[in-house]
Amino acid sequence: MSDDTTRPAGATDGADPVLSLSGVDSGYGEVQVLDDCSVRLDPGEIVCLVGPNGAGKSTVLKTAFGLLTPWTGSVNYHGEEIGGMAPEDIVREGIGYVPQTDNVFGSLTIDENLRMGGVARESGLDRVIGELYDQFSLLDERRKSKARTLSGGQRQVLAFARALVMEPDVLLIDEPSAGL
């Protein structure tokens, strides 16, 4: 995926980006998927990557989140290099990620899934989970149900909520409408 940084109308040039990929090459094994990819997310922006299957959208997100290490280029979060950091450290920095598939623990209850999402929190876990139950009444009503009993769309809601437990600055969502 080769991409020049595109600036949406009204974006502030010169502002420091929250998250940026600059000149990134990345892929799987010896298969290169990203070629000189650059993406920039400024404060308050919503950025969507649109393209056909196989274009590299998921690879961009996995590289930004540390599931893939960039071969070349840089991944920066608030001006600090995070390319190559472990995903658990990236979560602690303030980036959440919702994968396209296998995004909930089916054998755990909804409540247990949410608690797993907050395993790295130092405090406030019960408060945040309570707020999420207020926002997602479907989850509150079924908090003791196993996640595997949920429909695809309900699992996606649970995956979003679990990613929000850490109250991230940036939320990377791969195929957000999957299962809906």
Side-chain angles (χ1 to χ4, degrees):
M1 176 178 198
S2 181
D3 179 77
D4 293 326
T5 302
T6 304
R7 306 294 302 137
T12 313
D13 288 340
D16 290 333
V18 175
L19 179 66
S20 66
L21 284 76
S22 301
V24 169
D25 292 355
S26 185
Y28 306 88
E30 294 184 18
V31 178
Q32 183 172 356
V33 177
L34 303 182
D35 178 18
D36 194 27
C37 178
S38 296
V39 178
R40 177 184 171 122
L41 175 64
D42 284 320
E45 279 189 323
I46 296 172
V47 174
C48 298
L49 301 177
V50 179
N53 288 343
K57 303 176 299 292
S58 295
T59 305
V60 169
L61 298 179
K62 289 176 182 178
T63 302
F65 189 65
L67 294 170
L68 295 173
T69 300
W71 300 347
T72 62
S74 64
V75 179
N76 288 280
Y77 177 65
H78 291 292
E80 299 292 323
E81 175 66 39
I82 62 167
M85 280 179 70
E88 59 270 21
D89 295 329
I90 290 175
V91 167
R92 287 183 187 95
E93 290 292 321
I95 299 176
Y97 174 66
V98 179
Q100 177 179 352
T101 58
D102 300 323
N103 55 13
V104 299
F105 300 105
S107 63
L108 300 180
T109 66
I110 289 170
D111 194 65
E112 290 166 337
N113 265 275
L114 293 177
R115 292 188 180 285
M116 287 294 292
V119 73
R121 284 191 72 98
E122 294 182 15
S123 65
L125 180 61
D126 290 333
R127 173 192 56 82
V128 171
I129 288 176
E131 290 171 359
L132 290 168
Y133 281 138
D134 289 344
Q135 291 176 355
F136 301 102
S137 60
L138 159 84
L139 300 180
D140 186 30
E141 295 164 3
R142 300 192 57 194
R143 66 172 69 190
K144 298 299 179 196
S145 299
K146 299 284 185 188
R148 70 173 161 253
T149 68
L150 301 175
S151 71
Q154 292 168 335
R155 287 180 190 203
Q156 193 74 338
V157 170
L158 175 57
F160 291 156
R162 191 180 64 222
L164 293 173
V165 170
M166 289 297 292
E167 299 180 296
D169 268 353
V170 173
L171 186 57
L172 305 172
I173 307 170
D174 196 357
E175 296 286 344
S177 62
L180 299 181

